[in-house]
Amino acid sequence: MTTSAVRFLLNNDVVTIENIDPNLTVLQYLREERFNSGTKEGCSSGDCGACTVVIAELGKDSQTLNYKSINACISFVGSLHGKQLITVEHLKQGAKLHHVQQSMVDNHGSQCGFCTPGFVMSSFALHKHNNKPNREEVLEALAGNLCRCTGYRSIIDAAIASSEHCEADSFAQHYNQTVQQLNDFKGLPSAKLSNTRHCYFAPKSTAELAEKLLSNPQAILVAGATDLALSVTQNLAIIEDLVYLGDVTELQTLENSAEEFIIGSAVPYSDFTPMLHEEYHELGEMIERIGSRQIRNNGTLGGNIGNASPIGDMPPALIALDAHMTLQRGNEERKIAVEDYFVDYKKTVLKASEFIKNIYIPKSKPDQVLKVYKISKRIDDDISAVLAAFNIELKDNIVTNVRIAFGGMAGIPMRAKQCEAALLNKTFDSESVTAAQQALTQDFQPMSDVRASDKYRMKVAQNLIQKCYLELQSKNIETRVVNYA
Amino acid sequence: MRSLINTKHSNENINNELASVGQGGVGRSKKHESADKHVSGEALYIDDRPSLRGQLHAAAGQSTIAHGLIKSIDLSAVKAAEGVVAVITVEDVPGHTDIGPVFPGDPVLAIGKVDYIGQPIFAVAATSHDLARRAVKLAKIEYEALPAVLTVKDALAKQSFVRPPFTMKRGDSATAIEQATHQLSGEISVGGQEHFYLEGQVSTAEPTEDGGMTVFSSSQHPSEVQKLVAEVLDIPLNKVIVDTRRMGGGFGGKETQAAPWACLAALLSNVTKRPVKFKLSRSDDMCMTGKRHPFENNYHVGFDSDGQIKGINIEVNGNCGYSPDLSDAIVDRAMFHSDNAYFLDQATVTGNRCKLNTVSHTAYRGFGGPQGMMTIEMVMDDIARHLGKDPLEIRKINLYGKDDRNVTHYHQTVEHNKMAELISSLEQSSDYQARRASISQFNIENTLLKKGIALTPVKFGISFTVQHLNQAGALVHIYTDGTIHLNHGGTEMGQGLYTKVAQIVAEEFQVDVDTVGVSATRTDKVPNTSPTAASSGTDLNGKAAQAAAKTIKARLIEFACEKYNVNQAEVSFKESHVIVGQDKFSFAEFVQQAYMGRVSLSSTGFYKTPKIHFDRATGKGRPFFYYSTGAAVSEVLIDTLTGEYKLLRVDILHDVGHSLNPAIDIGQIEGAFIQGMGWLTTEELVWNEQGRLLSNNPATYKIPAISDTPSDFRVDLVPDDPNREQTIYNSKAVGEPPFMLGISVWSALKDAISSVSDYKLSPDLDTPATPERVLWAVEAMKDNA
């Protein structure tokens, strides 16, 4: 193998690619280079799921495989290094359909058929980990796949019914062999890819990464690519120098200490969510509505903070929790509050050659409650109009500590300090709530855009304070349509 | 006629039917003919076709202003860009420059003037899709901006219309309203809808050896693509072949809107003498192609103390965009459906076709019908709140009668009307009254979350209102091994048309449906076809294919009579066999005998819809062969602090006559309902003050996702109720009608909102009813309570 190559399994075949433009997406690679047209292009922006493929990766134990659905349209081809890529073409064995495929046929789950390969792959990934999924689990796994024809009922039935015909598929039969092959890949050097003009590099350590960034401060960092890839597919940007963080060992760590969680910046949502969900239930629930399963399988916490969206979903929650983060440049490391990271619209304190290393999230205290609200037009896979996070400590109904942060209310995710002041050390009652609602107009002047008007954003933000209050007053009433069964 | 279905519950029914899959014939839940290929990724869409030698990729340079004169175009940088092989403007079009489908007004490339943001001004062929997209951004175009009309209000004030206004009238509505006990007025803004077919617009053009063009187009109307490609190239129609195997969804969006890209691909192919593919990126597709017409409607109604309408004036104002396209017929259909299922007694319905500087709006499932129905459903809710009654009561009292009160405002008599029974049956099966009571209780007990319920009916007229389109052709061959090949003029966009028509042919010969092969819809197989639209695909093409099959069958019977000296009554087709007197031959064996006996085993078939006529000058006639009907009950939950909502349960009872394929029909009903719900809830088209579409990608335009489907979703077909008109196996069209069942979700949202005023007020709820609009409607209830 030359030093400038990416090696992976395409279905069961070892493939080495070199001299390919690293701006190429996995979807383009499959369709244009491999002539595998089963994987469809619906939007090229990670929103429709027609391009869903499955990645198999080695688990931490190096003996098990994790199957993850991803959007091929917004994954760069270099990120395949060391993994197995499974496409819809590989599910059918001879004339026999895979059981998730057969179930789609039996339940009349396809009409025009264009979204179908994507649904099949999402369902396949689900069944690899859960061969008896219930309705809720199916919805969670398929929320990133849009169908315009069926109305979904038949697809839900198909995904649930697949388990009735579950049998060992070719992937199960090749399991040990695949594990061995992926272990063999571990010995490969760091992935590099370049054509004459653009290059891609996947360092394996923070030292390697830091060095690369010092020597090349213009390089663009990419983790899950769920946002960055859109600049290529939608805005036709060309990234000259791409540095992939997914192979950096130190950025993949997950620590659960007595006081805090420490999450490596390149850990995908899917991997850190269970841990957080246990500690902060509402945060976990909210994360399950960030993007889709495909997005959460690739998207990372570092990326969510790093791209400095005004909404972000995670940053408001992290700010409310007073999370911190470490930034590294060369050998130097500094720790800052997540709150202090954001300066202005898409402007942060990150210096040239610096990267986000770890995120530190404190654990909950006895009197502390975290309330998180994600308001969007659609429940699944939608960018929030407003994201609100309330971190409140109550003693005898007195607010002894409070941090409130919003996304979508300003150019950056930020705290509502006047609002906090109106509540701090006050009895938590309708009077202080009204004062807090009033104070919110001093904290924010939201804008109107395609998602919501300025007036709606302010009104909802104020009403969420009320909702938070009502939920803390009487824990037994149902207050959210999202949770209503 | 044997009983084909007796559906109890969709899921059970389909699964029970599975046992019979593969035996062919109509009435069975036969799987989609491409289902196995869909799930395996083997089904080929146009973008999946292997690249041809030398194939190029197209992109179009777009207008960046909503209205203006083009002062200069500098394409030097475009021509010099990497990979660019050819660049064309309207100057390079050898033939027609206007590709308007019915009326002129749609230049294939801008002619000195632009009328909307996104309008194609020039086109490029390059060596890759991305290089073509990059190159078009390099043009330098100078405009002299002209004032742009960007609202319906402005268009009405300026009398800016793409076609003249039109009125349908029955009786003296003004006097009737005046003399009625009660009067109400209202207005509603009904949003448009992006089709969001998962496969975007795409065409590939290949030059042929005789100066013609073979075009592979994702089109609902291959014959129109053929005609327009021939016209822009200035070549005869017999030199253009258009081939459409399948679309990844159409929904009306590929009726006229597929043609521009096919024409541009053909023009570029003509210049370069190389194959050219034109695939629109998703955002280009959303900006450059027409959508469902947004409408702004108003009403003035007079009614009695029971809530029965005595007179009504309705005005529907369609935002047609910059050109006529199909808008005349679309606004007509909105007018035809301004009654929905209700007798309007004295009625005046006026339709305006407003011209705005946006993309030209076009066909979309329901074709104006849904926008027309919204007004009268609003009237029902408004009357109910005014009188303090349940809206269902008002709906029932206003239904068309059987023998009287049964003439529409366009003077067609509503026949075979069983809407009252259908509603009554659904009211029972959905447990409407008990749920209404428990919802009222829930709303008393809960201040934060409120529930709402609504039952709304649909009566939808079936036929193209443009008479000549109601015709179809088919071509059936039988080969000597007994297999059958079928072509017809209809296109497959997922609705299962190919499956149903194959079932019809299989039924005719009593053979296994798997022995009927279908291949792409091609203009050289079946000519001069109508678009696959207006829910008519099976009605028209099924009858045409049946006619072709009957012709061959008659020849086979005649041959049998001659050869075996029997009479016709002694020849029958059964279980893949032909029975001739005492002899029984396999179908294949008998077909071989017929071949040896020199019997033609190929035939065309033709069909035209009977009974229909409409005189637009008088506004009178029978535009529709029959009506498709159905009703839905939706129950919702809203959050009065955020406007968020959730659909909890849906019950649907829909009439498809004798179902040709219950699984496909139920799939159509479920899919249409969810699409209709999306139109009225989360799917929001947002244009800015410059006329630029901001919701131009799926991150900002939200069609329903999987969790939006209610966990309790009960869809039933009206059992054993054949169409009284002589349609194919007495079935009824199903493509569009159930779309409007989604109106029940909107009405249920209003019911929940109204509860905030203790049902004293009828909320104004423009659509789409996003959480934001729901919240403002709730606030309005609080303010006025």
Side-chain angles (χ1 to χ4, degrees):
Chain A
M1 180 169 167
T2 68
T3 52
S4 181
V6 164
R7 184 173 288 188
F8 60 97
L9 284 175
L10 174 56
N11 298 318
N12 283 339
D13 300 328
V14 178
V15 172
T16 304
I17 55 175
E18 42 201 334
N19 301 321
I20 277 188
D21 186 344
N23 286 282
L24 203 67
T25 64
V26 172
L27 180 64
Q28 288 170 318
Y29 170 75
L30 285 172
R31 293 182 61 86
E32 292 163 23
E33 306 289 325
R34 306 293 305 196
F35 311 110
N36 285 348
S37 62
T39 308
K40 306 301 180 199
E41 177 190 333
C43 67
S44 280
S45 56
D47 292 299
C48 81
C51 67
T52 303
V53 293
V54 170
I55 294 289
E57 287 175 341
L58 279 181
K60 297 270 182 237
D61 58 5
S62 297
Q63 321 225 336
T64 52
L65 295 173
N66 290 331
Y67 293 89
K68 297 162 52 164
S69 57
I70 65 160
N71 290 308
C73 73
I74 50 168
S75 300
F76 292 120
V77 71
S79 65
L80 297 173
H81 189 60
K83 299 166 187 165
Q84 182 185 26
L85 170 63
I86 301 169
T87 67
V88 69
E89 283 88 354
H90 205 58
L91 264 55
K92 185 178 169 185
Q93 293 295 303
K96 190 170 162 37
L97 295 173
H98 190 276
H99 56 265
V100 298
Q101 293 174 315
Q102 189 60 50
S103 191
M104 279 286 270
V105 172
D106 294 344
N107 286 276
H108 305 276
S110 72
Q111 287 185 20
C112 86
F114 200 83
C115 69
T116 312
F119 273 99
V120 163
M121 295 312 290
S122 286
S123 188
F124 167 75
L126 169 66
H127 281 85
K128 276 286 159 205
H129 291 291
N130 179 356
N131 59 23
K132 283 219 186 309
N134 61 30
R135 189 173 195 276
E136 286 309 308
E137 289 160 344
V138 165
L139 298 188
E140 195 270 336
L142 303 185
N145 292 83
L146 295 177
C147 170
R148 192 56 151 165
C149 296
T150 63
Y152 301 103
R153 193 274 309 157
S154 51
I155 296 174
I156 299 168
D157 285 357
I160 293 171
S162 291
S163 49
E164 289 165 22
H165 307 284
C166 185
E167 52 192 55
D169 58 17
S170 65
F171 304 95
Q173 288 156 16
H174 287 99
Y175 199 89
N176 292 337
Q177 182 192 327
T178 306
V179 168
Q180 185 57 51
Q181 282 171 311
L182 295 190
N183 272 308
D184 291 347
F185 286 160
K186 278 189 179 173
L188 294 174
S190 303
K192 285 182 184 169
L193 193 62
S194 64
N195 62 359
T196 49
R197 293 183 285 190
H198 319 123
C199 60
Y200 174 96
F201 174 55
K204 289 186 155 190
S205 66
T206 46
E208 214 179 355
L209 170 63
E211 186 190 315
K212 166 75 183 175
L213 289 180
L214 281 179
S215 65
N216 196 344
Q218 303 304 318
I220 303 288
L221 295 179
V222 58
T226 57
D227 189 50
L228 181 70
L230 299 190
S231 64
V232 175
T233 66
Q234 302 301 303
N235 303 334
L236 302 171
I238 294 170
I239 302 171
E240 307 280 340
D241 201 347
L242 203 53
V243 175
Y244 176 63
L245 304 174
D247 292 346
V248 181
T249 316
E250 298 99 313
L251 303 185
Q252 289 290 341
T253 54
L254 214 48
E255 282 179 52
N256 185 352
S257 75
E259 297 83 33
E260 60 189 359
F261 301 110
I262 308 172
I263 299 173
S265 62
V267 179
Y269 285 95
S270 298
D271 294 352
F272 69 74
T273 304
M275 189 174 80
L276 287 186
H277 201 135
E278 217 165 284
E279 184 81 5
Y280 295 112
H281 180 73
E282 291 204 4
L283 181 58
E285 297 273 297
M286 187 275 283
I287 296 174
E288 287 192 355
R289 287 178 55 205
I290 293 180
S292 59
R293 170 53 79 173
Q294 291 93 317
I295 297 292
R296 295 191 298 277
N297 281 338
N298 261 350
T300 64
L301 193 50
N304 192 225
I305 299 169
N307 85 357
S309 155
I311 302 156
D313 282 359
M314 284 305 285
L318 295 175
I319 292 169
L321 286 171
D322 198 17
H324 282 64
M325 59 202 276
T326 43
L327 306 175
Q328 184 178 340
R329 184 179 183 278
N331 297 324
E332 295 159 28
E333 206 173 297
R334 58 177 174 144
K335 191 169 183 179
I336 63 165
V338 172
E339 182 189 353
D340 297 331
Y341 180 76
F342 306 98
V343 178
D344 203 344
Y345 177 70
K346 291 274 178 189
K347 264 181 72 180
T348 71
V349 300
L350 197 72
K351 296 176 190 158
S353 305
E354 198 172 35
F355 61 91
I356 302 170
K357 191 176 178 191
N358 289 312
I359 294 92
Y360 299 75
I361 304 175
K363 291 196 164 175
S364 62
K365 294 175 210 141
D367 299 315
Q368 179 193 356
V369 182
L370 180 72
K371 290 272 166 195
V372 185
Y373 304 92
K374 178 174 165 68
I375 307 298
S376 53
K377 268 183 206 162
R378 190 174 72 189
I379 289 174
D380 289 328
D381 195 0
D382 195 2
I383 294 171
S384 310
V386 173
L387 193 295
F390 300 85
N391 181 7
I392 297 179
E393 283 174 48
L394 278 177
K395 287 201 178 85
D396 302 326
N397 207 34
I398 307 274
V399 177
T400 56
N401 209 345
V402 59
R403 290 177 68 95
I404 301 174
F406 284 90
M409 294 291 286
I412 56 172
M414 65 186 275
R415 275 172 79 182
K417 289 190 177 170
Q418 301 293 333
C419 179
E420 290 173 3
L423 293 171
L424 187 64
N425 299 325
K426 306 273 174 20
T427 306
F428 200 34
D429 58 13
S430 59
E431 202 177 314
S432 63
V433 166
T434 305
Q437 289 177 319
Q438 293 286 332
L440 209 59
T441 59
Q442 293 158 33
D443 285 315
F444 299 116
Q445 285 85 44
M447 57 180 264
S448 294
D449 65 11
V450 67
R451 296 195 170 83
S453 70
D454 51 353
K455 290 190 179 65
Y456 177 73
R457 287 194 159 100
M458 180 54 74
K459 182 75 186 172
V460 161
Q462 290 175 324
N463 283 355
L464 289 174
I465 301 172
Q466 164 104 8
K467 180 175 281 236
C468 173
Y469 165 69
L470 292 171
E471 287 179 353
L472 290 179
Q473 291 303 300
S474 46
K475 295 199 170 62
N476 296 324
I477 58 164
E478 191 59 75
T479 57
R480 304 196 194 189
V481 298
V482 176
N483 299 339
Y484 202 92
Chain B
M1 178 65 62
R2 64 205 170 87
S3 177
L4 296 170
I5 52 150
N6 189 359
T7 308
K8 293 285 181 265
H9 191 280
S10 58
N11 305 3
E12 300 165 22
N13 182 58
I14 293 171
N15 291 334
N16 291 342
E17 288 283 347
L18 278 176
S20 58
V21 165
Q23 290 169 21
V26 302
R28 296 196 173 95
S29 285
K30 171 77 182 147
K31 67 181 175 184
H32 193 284
E33 45 84 19
S34 288
D36 288 20
K37 291 180 277 188
H38 291 155
V39 299
S40 63
E42 290 161 346
L44 290 181
Y45 301 80
I46 288 169
D47 195 35
D48 302 336
R49 298 177 62 80
S51 280
L52 295 152
R53 192 164 56 87
Q55 182 169 301
L56 300 171
H57 301 263
Q62 305 169 29
S63 170
T64 53
I65 67 167
H67 194 202
L69 301 174
I70 299 173
K71 303 308 290 178
S72 68
I73 304 181
D74 176 1
L75 299 176
S76 52
V78 181
K79 288 174 182 163
E82 183 186 352
V84 171
V85 175
V87 183
I88 58 167
T89 67
V90 74
E91 308 289 323
D92 303 298
V93 178
H96 289 194
T97 54
D98 195 305
I99 56 169
V102 184
F103 305 102
D106 296 289
V108 65
L109 290 169
I111 310 172
K113 180 175 185 290
V114 289
D115 289 290
Y116 68 97
I117 291 176
Q119 181 172 356
I121 296 173
F122 66 95
V124 162
T127 51
S128 84
H129 181 60
D130 282 352
L131 288 174
R133 288 172 69 202
R134 270 185 232 289
V136 296
K137 297 202 181 298
L138 302 173
K140 294 187 185 73
I141 298 175
E142 289 178 339
Y143 305 94
E144 179 186 326
L146 296 171
V149 177
L150 295 170
T151 64
V152 167
K153 202 163 278 170
D154 194 17
L156 287 170
K158 292 181 170 136
Q159 297 279 291
S160 168
F161 297 133
V162 293
R163 296 288 302 154
F166 177 47
T167 297
M168 296 174 186
K169 197 170 166 61
R170 184 170 178 277
D172 177 2
S173 57
T175 306
I177 296 167
E178 197 181 309
Q179 291 176 352
T181 317
H182 303 274
Q183 290 84 24
L184 278 175
S185 300
E187 53 186 51
I188 181 168
S189 170
V190 179
Q193 188 175 25
E194 160 63 36
H195 300 85
F196 212 87
Y197 24 64
L198 264 287
E199 177 210 32
Q201 303 279 358
V202 57
S203 277
T204 299
E206 299 171 29
T208 62
E209 62 181 19
D210 56 3
M213 205 61 71
T214 300
V215 180
F216 296 88
S217 174
S218 182
S219 167
Q220 292 172 244
H221 199 350
S223 282
E224 187 167 274
V225 171
Q226 177 198 22
K227 173 175 170 284
L228 294 172
V229 166
E231 286 178 354
V232 296
L233 294 178
D234 198 23
I235 57 176
L237 263 72
N238 67 358
K239 290 198 172 181
V240 179
I241 295 170
V242 177
D243 177 306
T244 303
R245 172 58 183 90
R246 64 170 62 78
M247 282 163 271
F251 316 113
K254 293 171 180 172
E255 183 173 346
T256 64
Q257 306 291 294
W261 327 110
C263 288
L264 290 171
L267 286 163
L268 288 163
S269 183
N270 188 49
V271 169
T272 58
K273 305 299 173 201
R274 288 163 72 168
V276 175
K277 175 154 71 181
F278 200 148
K279 173 178 75 166
L280 291 186
S281 71
R282 180 58 63 179
S283 60
D284 282 352
D285 196 314
M286 293 178 80
C287 292
M288 299 175 85
T289 69
K291 307 174 193 317
R292 178 185 298 283
H293 291 56
F295 269 70
E296 297 197 5
N297 304 342
N298 59 74
Y299 77 84
H300 186 205
V301 67
F303 52 98
D304 66 17
S305 299
D306 293 330
Q308 193 170 71
I309 291 173
K310 296 299 164 190
I312 191 165
N313 290 336
I314 293 173
E315 184 183 82
V316 297
N317 300 301
N319 166 354
C320 302
Y322 84 100
S323 77
D325 185 72
L326 302 172
S327 295
D328 226 13
I330 287 166
V331 177
D332 275 0
R333 191 169 273 271
M335 296 166 69
F336 283 127
H337 289 81
S338 289
D339 59 346
N340 191 7
Y342 313 110
F343 179 61
L344 300 182
D345 206 340
Q346 316 285 300
T348 305
V349 177
T350 304
N352 292 312
R353 289 112 172 100
C354 299
K355 178 175 180 170
L356 279 77
N357 290 108
T358 65
V359 66
S360 189
H361 294 309
T362 194
Y364 193 141
R365 202 174 199 168
F367 205 71
Q371 297 97 312
M373 284 183 195
M374 286 295 287
T375 319
I376 198 67
E377 291 303 337
M378 175 186 188
V379 170
M380 295 296 142
D381 287 345
D382 290 355
I383 291 175
R385 301 308 174 203
H386 187 78
L387 297 175
K389 292 172 185 282
D390 185 329
L392 178 56
E393 196 182 318
I394 303 303
R395 289 189 164 93
K396 287 203 279 196
I397 202 172
N398 280 295
L399 291 176
Y400 278 108
K402 283 190 179 12
D403 303 315
D404 63 343
R405 295 172 46 84
N406 63 352
V407 181
T408 66
H409 56 289
Y410 47 92
H411 302 266
Q412 173 162 356
T413 301
V414 179
E415 299 172 291
H416 320 302
N417 174 13
K418 291 168 87 175
M419 185 58 95
E421 291 89 333
L422 191 151
I423 288 177
S424 171
S425 176
L426 180 63
E427 188 181 343
Q428 300 284 323
S429 64
S430 68
D431 209 12
Y432 177 90
Q433 296 300 346
R435 287 164 65 199
R436 162 66 70 195
S438 74
I439 285 169
S440 298
Q441 192 57 38
F442 177 93
N443 289 340
I444 290 167
E445 289 163 7
N446 289 271
T447 50
L448 215 59
L449 303 183
K450 299 285 184 183
K451 285 185 179 178
I453 190 168
L455 185 158
T456 61
V458 170
K459 167 185 128 289
F460 192 77
I462 302 300
S463 292
F464 287 100
T465 58
V466 175
Q467 192 185 24
H468 75 266
L469 296 177
N470 295 287
Q471 59 173 310
L475 178 63
V476 172
H477 308 313
I478 304 179
Y479 296 104
T480 51
D481 63 352
T483 60
I484 299 170
H485 193 87
L486 165 66
N487 285 101
H488 52 76
T491 54
E492 176 63 42
M493 60 193 105
Q495 82 279 42
L497 175 65
Y498 279 18
T499 314
K500 283 183 172 180
V501 180
Q503 285 176 277
I504 289 161
V505 171
E507 183 79 12
E508 222 33 70
F509 293 111
Q510 290 295 309
V511 295
D512 191 313
V513 69
D514 292 336
T515 67
V516 181
V518 283
S519 60
T521 305
R522 284 174 64 113
T523 56
D524 59 345
K525 290 242 187 175
V526 178
N528 311 323
T529 57
S530 294
T532 308
S535 307
S536 70
T538 309
D539 281 16
L540 297 177
N541 296 289
K543 275 282 192 184
Q546 185 187 41
K550 279 183 187 294
T551 300
I552 302 174
K553 194 173 166 186
R555 290 180 198 148
L556 291 174
I557 292 170
E558 190 188 345
F559 167 72
C561 293
E562 280 174 21
K563 180 167 181 182
Y564 294 99
N565 198 23
V566 295
N567 62 42
Q568 291 194 2
E570 292 172 272
V571 184
S572 61
F573 293 72
K574 200 178 174 190
E575 292 172 351
S576 300
H577 284 75
V578 183
I579 297 155
V580 183
Q582 301 302 312
D583 296 322
K584 186 177 179 184
F585 308 101
S586 76
F587 185 73
E589 188 184 352
F590 189 76
V591 161
Q592 281 163 17
Q593 291 181 25
Y595 169 75
M596 297 307 288
R598 297 188 294 173
V599 173
S600 166
L601 295 171
S602 173
S603 177
T604 60
F606 184 78
Y607 175 74
K608 60 181 178 180
T609 312
K611 292 189 178 181
I612 49 175
H613 57 89
F614 185 70
D615 179 2
R616 209 160 175 272
T618 59
K620 293 182 182 178
R622 180 200 169 111
F624 305 118
F625 187 27
Y626 64 91
Y627 295 102
S628 275
T629 54
V633 179
S634 290
E635 180 178 340
V636 301
L637 179 77
I638 66 165
D639 182 332
T640 57
L641 286 180
T642 62
E644 294 165 289
Y645 46 80
K646 189 170 183 181
L647 179 57
L648 300 177
R649 173 175 165 184
V650 175
D651 294 67
I652 290 172
L653 182 58
H654 198 79
D655 176 20
V656 296
H658 265 331
S659 176
L660 294 167
N661 184 323
I664 285 177
D665 286 342
I666 286 167
Q668 286 293 297
I669 293 165
E670 290 173 340
F673 174 84
I674 295 296
Q675 204 175 77
M677 175 194 80
W679 166 53
L680 295 172
T681 55
T682 57
E683 296 184 35
E684 187 173 29
L685 293 167
V686 183
W687 281 274
N688 72 7
E689 286 172 4
Q690 286 73 49
R692 181 177 295 282
L693 182 69
L694 300 179
S695 51
N696 64 354
N697 57 54
T700 48
Y701 184 80
K702 309 310 281 188
I703 72 168
I706 200 161
S707 301
D708 297 315
T709 292
S711 56
D712 196 349
F713 195 5
R714 310 179 190 197
V715 178
D716 286 346
L717 303 177
V718 173
D720 199 26
D721 191 17
N723 192 345
R724 301 303 194 279
E725 299 295 346
Q726 291 305 307
T727 51
I728 185 76
Y729 289 100
N730 300 88
S731 62
K732 281 192 175 184
V734 70
E736 293 164 292
F739 179 88
M740 287 146 276
L741 297 171
I743 294 173
S744 60
V745 177
W746 172 74
S747 191
L749 286 170
K750 290 202 296 170
D751 189 55
I753 296 164
S754 181
S755 76
V756 176
S757 72
D758 197 22
Y759 301 105
K760 289 187 174 62
L761 300 173
S762 185
D764 282 326
L765 187 62
D766 288 345
T767 68
T770 56
E772 171 158 2
R773 284 212 174 88
V774 169
L775 182 66
W776 296 138
V778 166
E779 289 292 310
M781 292 294 103
K782 288 179 182 166
D783 292 346
N784 294 319

